[in-house]
Amino acid sequence: MTRTGIEALSFYTPHRYISLKTLAEHHGIDPAKFSNGIGQDMIALPGHDEDIVTMAAEAARPIIEKYGRDDIDTVMLATETGIDQSKAASIYVHQLLNLQSNCRCVELKQACYSATPALQMACSYVARKPNKKVLVIASDVARYDLDSSGEATQGAGAVAMLVSSQPKTLEIGTTSGVFSEDIMDFWRPNDRRTPLFDGKFSALRYLNALVEAWKDYQVNGGKSYDEFSHFCYHLPFSRMGDKANRHLAKNAGHALNKETAENGLLYNRIIGNSYTASLYIALISTLDNAKDDLTGKSIGLFSYGSGASAEFFDATVSKNYQEHLFINRHKDILNERTAVNYEEYKELWNAPKVNPEGETIFSDEARGRYRLAKIDDNKRIYIDKQAQ
Ligand code: CAA
């Protein structure tokens, strides 16, 4: 069978954040509730000229620069914060990255889960067409109502994965455990910019879905618990990863080793929720922050999307994977950021009013190469600053 998986993967997050200490101070609550109770220190904040498209293109840029664009014939963009009800965001990304026109572009949705079926479908596709590559991108802006219980779990980010029959970073296993149920734990009707949610219920259903997906993974002949050196979880907030890790160990009948998930939580703690991207930021965080060589190690991955659909699957770290990581770029992206005060945060949180009949021009704030320059007659105009 053709080995398939991730040739390279990279993330992007915007250059501004609000510290959760600032948020706690504003609300007059103990900052330890956020740092310990929720496990978050910062919330990444996109500017008005940044969105899922600009973050997606910026996440993919280093991959395109290093591995080229010629073999990519499919772009799958997973998001739950889509910018159009009809046109796929991947078409804008395809244009910004100058990919060949003989390429299919789609957008996938199922809350925070859809990057995982995109990755699985991409693996199946390249098994059939080993000379082709698929760009799978997860990109989201997690925005909750101000003063709501979800406010501390906002964030933004994108992950791009080059999926191919040369899995130079991670080989994706062919066994999966899946689980779905029709519940209202978190959802966003078409006319809303922010989601509706039942926070405590959603956390309980997440843990239930983890056990059900794990059981299905075992039934389908998956690896045993002690074959895994690391676990990565969907991270709406990093403490959820701790809870999931404990819950899985207990249900699999093993003692908890906190270290199996610890490195995966590091980046999310200072980015916040990035919905579809958060599991894959956890995966990058695990690889980037490993002290030891992870070659040959098995990583268990749990993907959860409210509503709900979930999957447990595995990845095996490839030989010489270190040559395909973007550690320095990731560290720069995280280190070269600016904290904003509460007033600036509110200004970023509120979307500018778009003129439906004319032009709305956005000031140049994005640190990356790509930005949303304007919305003209309801058409989004993105630019590559270096092509200007
Ligand atoms: N010091 C330390 N810890 C403190 C504290 C303090 N001073 N004050 C409170 N805490 C602890 C609490 O004991 C609690 O810990 P446990 O979870 O161990 O009980 C924790 O901080 C959270 O506090 P609350 O129980 O008061 O919870 P909250 O009302 O602030 O809500 C939340 C927390 C439910 C996660 C809320 O932020 C939320 O609804 N978020 C959005 C929904 C969400 O993320 N759901 C996750 C599953 S669904 C999913 O994964 C999809 C997705 O991406 C959204």
Side-chain angles (χ1 to χ4, degrees):
M1 193 178 2
T2 312
R3 291 171 62 241
T4 60
I6 301 171
E7 189 164 339
L9 76 174
S10 144
F11 82 81
Y12 186 73
T13 190
H15 69 291
R16 278 174 290 202
Y17 68 89
I18 181 167
S19 159
L20 284 177
K21 280 192 189 133
T22 308
L23 201 63
E25 206 170 282
H26 174 82
H27 290 303
I29 58 174
D30 181 359
K33 174 175 176 182
F34 295 152
S35 59
N36 301 340
I38 297 213
Q40 287 303 128
D41 295 333
M42 298 172 189
I43 292 170
L45 301 167
H48 295 154
D49 63 342
E50 293 172 292
D51 64 10
I52 56 159
V53 167
T54 62
M55 290 193 301
E58 201 54 52
R61 182 167 63 81
I63 294 178
I64 301 298
E65 285 169 358
K66 184 166 175 182
Y67 300 87
R69 44 177 65 73
D70 293 351
D71 300 329
I72 298 173
D73 76 347
T74 305
V75 184
M76 303 171 97
L77 194 148
T79 188
E80 68 174 282
T81 44
I83 43 140
D84 194 287
Q85 293 282 29
S86 172
K87 180 167 175 170
S90 52
I91 296 184
Y92 297 110
V93 176
H94 169 270
Q95 160 71 18
L96 288 172
L97 296 174
N98 283 318
L99 300 182
Q100 56 167 320
S101 51
N102 297 113
C103 184
R104 55 175 78 75
C105 293
V106 290
E107 184 173 309
L108 294 89
K109 178 179 70 181
Q110 182 7 65
C112 306
Y113 169 61
S114 60
T116 299
L119 173 60
Q120 296 289 12
M121 287 189 276
C123 285
S124 302
Y125 176 70
V126 298
R128 202 158 57 119
K129 303 221 166 152
N131 58 339
K132 297 292 180 194
K133 299 185 185 186
V134 179
L135 191 58
V136 172
I137 307 179
S139 187
D140 266 306
V141 178
R143 194 181 279 115
Y144 290 84
D145 284 336
L146 299 176
D147 307 333
S148 73
S149 68
E151 186 182 16
T153 68
Q154 297 177 101
V159 169
M161 300 180 262
L162 186 64
V163 177
S164 79
S165 56
Q166 300 160 56
K168 293 174 182 166
T169 304
L170 294 151
E171 183 174 348
I172 300 298
T174 51
T175 307
S176 268
V178 289
F179 176 73
S180 291
E181 63 173 346
D182 183 1
I183 51 168
M184 300 304 278
D185 61 332
F186 173 106
W187 68 106
R188 185 164 69 88
N190 283 346
D191 57 347
R192 286 188 62 98
R193 185 167 169 256
T194 52
L196 300 165
F197 59 98
D198 183 342
K200 303 255 153 81
F201 176 60
S202 68
L204 289 174
R205 294 327 288 168
Y206 170 118
L207 293 177
N208 178 64
L210 168 60
V211 172
E212 293 301 327
W214 169 257
K215 283 199 285 201
D216 191 46
Y217 174 77
Q218 291 301 311
V219 166
N220 293 333
K223 296 184 178 184
S224 60
Y225 183 88
D226 48 15
E227 284 181 79
F228 290 104
S229 66
H230 296 80
F231 293 97
C232 295
Y233 299 94
H234 165 57
L235 296 176
F237 48 93
S238 82
R239 180 96 197 288
M240 193 74 224
D242 281 329
K243 290 186 181 190
N245 208 33
R246 187 175 307 122
H247 199 66
L248 181 61
K250 187 173 161 219
N251 279 276
H254 283 262
L256 173 67
N257 174 1
K258 284 178 92 172
E259 281 179 20
T260 54
E262 243 159 35
N263 283 342
L265 309 182
L266 298 174
Y267 287 169
N268 294 69
R269 192 173 242 285
I270 55 174
I271 290 173
N273 197 354
S274 53
Y275 293 158
T276 52
S278 90
L279 167 63
Y280 297 97
I281 290 181
L283 178 58
I284 295 175
S285 188
T286 301
L287 297 172
D288 282 5
N289 292 295
K291 302 270 179 299
D292 304 326
D293 181 357
L294 298 185
T295 301
K297 302 279 187 199
S298 295
I299 302 178
L301 296 113
F302 175 63
S303 182
Y304 178 78
S306 290
S309 212
E311 182 160 346
F312 189 97
F313 63 108
D314 63 74
T316 305
V317 183
S318 307
K319 197 164 171 240
N320 300 325
Y321 71 98
Q322 296 94 333
E323 291 167 17
H324 304 281
L325 301 181
F326 294 93
I327 300 181
N328 292 339
R329 176 176 152 92
H330 294 153
K331 301 280 178 198
D332 287 350
I333 284 171
L334 292 171
N335 293 337
E336 291 164 14
R337 295 190 296 168
T338 314
V340 300
N341 63 31
Y342 187 80
E343 288 313 311
E344 290 163 328
Y345 154 68
K346 252 176 78 175
E347 158 69 21
L348 287 171
W349 190 93
N350 284 300
K353 250 192 154 10
V354 171
N355 174 1
E357 277 135 28
E359 244 185 13
T360 309
I361 296 181
F362 301 100
S363 59
D364 184 353
E365 294 177 16
R367 112 177 107 178
R369 244 175 92 164
Y370 310 106
R371 57 183 295 269
L372 174 65
K374 60 181 173 179
I375 298 178
D376 186 0
D377 194 18
N378 280 309
K379 295 172 189 141
R380 297 175 87 84
I381 313 294
Y382 292 95
I383 57 165
D384 174 351
K385 292 192 222 176
Q386 285 192 9
Q388 296 298 296

